[in-house]
Amino acid sequence: MLIIKNSKVDDVKNSEITSEAEYLNRRKFLGKSAVFAASTLVGGSLVLKEQVLNAQTLSTQSARVPAWLGSKVAGSRTELSAGLADATPRNDAEQLTPEEYATAYNNFYEFGTDKEDPARLAGKLTTDPWSVKISGEVAKPGEYTLEDILKPHDFEERIYRLRCVEAWSMVIPWVGFSLEKLLKRFGPTGNAKYVQFITLVRPNEMPGQNSLFSTIKWPYREALRLDEAYHPLAMLAVGMYGKPLPGQNGAPLRLIVPWKYGFKSIKSIVEIRFTEKQPKTSWQSIAAGEYGFYANVNPYVDHPRWSQATERRLPGSLFSSNRMDTRMFNGYGEQVASLYSGMDLKRYY
Amino acid sequence: MIKGLYQFKPSKIIEVSKIGLFLVCLLPLGLLGRDVWLEFQQPGSALGTDPAVQVVHILGNWAIRFLLITLCCASLSRRVRVVRLVRYRRMLGLFAFAYALLHFTAYYLLLAEAQWALVSADFVKRPYITMGMSALFLLIPLSITSTAGWQRRLRKKWKKLHRLVYAIGILAVVHVAWLAKSSYLDASLYAFCLLILLSERIIMKDKGRAKRPGFARMSEK
């Protein structure tokens, strides 16, 4: 099976990986710069920010996870299960996004709203011990440790396009397993029609959750229709680029739904709840007119503030805008379109 | 300190300080230029994963900052008479315009791929872009008439015309606020500054009516 070999993984120099001490220092520095930015609107806050960027010390380091998980991720199969092969992007225009970009440019508002905030601040996140609560319309509810959750599953590497609702995209090799297989282990009852996912709330480690200016009501919530969740393309990821997930990318456990906008692929999951009624998602609660429940990638339905017809593949450069046409269902229409047959996708955006 | 300075010819001090200020105002552009240069040397080294957006944002931020500094200048000079801050106002205002123009140019070249069709589609469809471009558009007559000649020619109308700067400030802040997805930190800071400056302006206007001569002085160039 064809998998794009990612040379960049091996190219990350040791010098690019931030030591613990540097990390702590930077956080102190950032604390100061936040005060500074607040006190001097027109002052040098931007200069400070630039310095942080220039330092190129954003961490690609994995979150601290138990040793067994690290080796299991490293030993994941790179051969895809049947049916996934066709979904793997593999033409020349779809090179993997280099790891240092995919781990440095994140929307994870729990850590802050700047794209670099998560990479700077997520090193603090405690991911071991970790447990996931299974609740709602399910035969075997309870609090499961990460080991309980992961043990029965073989990991595989899947290369997926990631299309953000902000009209940029990346191509990322995830390591994980089928969502369907996990969900079915807990025995969803006949009433279960939807599955909701909830992110960790821990303001002392996730500074964005303290922000007075954020409109998100924590915890961050996402949900899928159960048949969407059972689709073979939907996966839970524990790693990327052959390593356990870094905190900024949603360690230790996150959802990946490649045919939907990135915000559906919720990070750092602590609860999975089966429901009969459609749960409200975080972005729906903030702006229902801009973000629907389905949030399927759809070039024909514009977000009110930006066009979804095209996307810019990151990393960008100052020479070319890397703009390309956005495809229906992010290019996974062949696999997933049948989930939505007969639905008016302009209405159910 | 200030008394000491006044032993020199005041015009000389202003001239020298204006050159200094001019260089300071160029500093953000210089820093950005350095980053762009580094980016050309080694992509990803200075401007992150999405350098195009980064450049556009940095220029836009400085445009609105200079706009607010310009407004501060007028307000402060009404309060602190010793330093004639109002003498630096024109330069600061022109820098606001320059940064706004660069902000638009960067957007046009790097994000809109130098296609006017994309720009006009954005202008019509995206309210935050409508706001931003209107602000830039309104800055044009103010910049053209910023010279002493135009000030003389337009007389009282000049002041009226230049009150547009408050409308531009509001447009610019709305532009930032509507761009925000979930965090209103930047927008709140800018709006807070603008609110203070606007209310100061309104309060002074009332006082100015009562005390005409003092009010007139601030309009000296």
Side-chain angles (χ1 to χ4, degrees), chain A residues 41 46 50 53-54 56 101 105 109 113 166 213-215 302 304-307 312 315-316 319 321 323, chain B residues 34-35 40 44 46 49-50 53-54 62 65 111 113 125-126 128 178 180-185 188 190 193:
Chain A
L41 162 76
L46 194 91
E50 276 172 27
L53 262 180
N54 289 347
Q56 271 289 294
Y101 292 104
Y105 188 87
Y109 288 2
T113 48
E166 297 164 349
F213 297 94
S214 168
T215 51
D302 276 355
R305 286 180 285 168
W306 44 83
S307 164
R312 293 181 317 114
F319 299 107
S321 64
R323 196 183 284 275
Chain B
R34 179 204 60 184
D35 284 347
F40 279 149
T49 301
D50 200 348
V53 165
Q54 191 75 5
W62 282 107
R65 287 168 190 179
L111 298 181
E113 300 184 307
K125 275 177 105 174
R126 325 258 165 249
Y128 78 93
W178 280 355
K181 252 176 87 190
S182 121
S183 171
Y184 290 91
L185 177 61
S188 307
Y190 292 143
C193 288

Side-chain angles (χ1 to χ4, degrees), chain B residues 65-113:
Chain B
R65 287 168 190 179
F66 273 106
L67 192 66
L68 292 172
I69 295 171
T70 311
L71 292 175
C72 275
C73 234
S75 290
L76 275 177
S77 64
R78 269 174 234 141
R79 316 218 146 250
V80 193
R81 286 281 155 70
V82 192
V83 189
R84 292 278 190 73
L85 280 172
V86 80
R87 287 178 183 268
Y88 306 98
R89 189 173 56 174
R90 177 195 299 153
M91 190 203 292
L92 289 165
L94 284 171
F95 265 105
F97 177 63
Y99 277 99
L101 196 62
L102 286 169
H103 169 60
F104 174 81
T105 310
Y107 151 80
Y108 171 70
L109 291 176
L110 300 176
L111 298 181
E113 300 184 307

Side-chain angles (χ1 to χ4, degrees), chain A residues 4-5 91-98 170-172 313-314:
Chain A
I4 304 165
K5 177 72 187 130
N91 62 50
D92 282 348
E94 301 210 90
Q95 302 262 339
L96 285 191
T97 303
M170 294 184 178
V171 179
I172 298 172
R313 182 61 54 85
L314 297 182

Side-chain angles (χ1 to χ4, degrees), chain A residues 260-277:
Chain A
K260 292 173 180 285
Y261 292 121
F263 66 84
K264 293 294 286 185
S265 293
I266 186 168
K267 294 168 173 166
S268 305
I269 298 167
V270 292
E271 184 172 351
I272 300 176
R273 168 181 279 274
F274 295 81
T275 67
E276 187 171 8
K277 282 187 192 151

